[in-house]
Amino acid sequence: MFRWVGVLLTAAVMSAFAVLLLTGDYIREGPVLVTLSETHGIHRGDVGIVAFWTLGMIGLLIAALSRPSRTRDADRR
């Protein structure tokens, strides 16, 4: 249960940062690849943000689904 709370919290924080980066203006956003409206579009820099967000989510999924090693007290001695 505690692991899933940590995973969900981390996913929420990563998603919030990704949204802030995608909606903000920054120096190296690059040229517009796809125009969504007159004032909005998908920039070259947005592709990297989404790619790193996706890798982070895959890492979280792997961490959440992996089983912790269960060692006995006798094995540690």
Side-chain angles (χ1 to χ4, degrees):
M1 173 80 174
F2 183 70
R3 180 189 306 184
W4 284 105
V5 171
V7 166
L8 291 175
L9 180 62
T10 305
V13 170
M14 285 176 52
S15 297
F17 282 139
V19 168
L20 287 174
L21 286 171
L22 290 172
T23 58
D25 291 329
Y26 49 97
I27 296 171
R28 296 193 176 148
E29 59 189 13
V32 176
L33 300 176
V34 177
T35 302
L36 301 175
S37 71
E38 290 183 18
T39 58
H40 293 81
I42 299 173
H43 295 87
R44 185 176 59 198
D46 296 340
V47 175
I49 294 168
V50 172
F52 282 117
W53 178 84
T54 302
L55 287 174
M57 289 298 161
I58 291 170
L60 276 176
L61 186 63
I62 291 169
L65 296 178
S66 65
R67 295 180 183 226
S69 62
R70 298 183 186 264
T71 58
R72 295 182 184 179
D73 290 332
D75 292 341
R76 289 186 215 165
R77 293 180 189 174

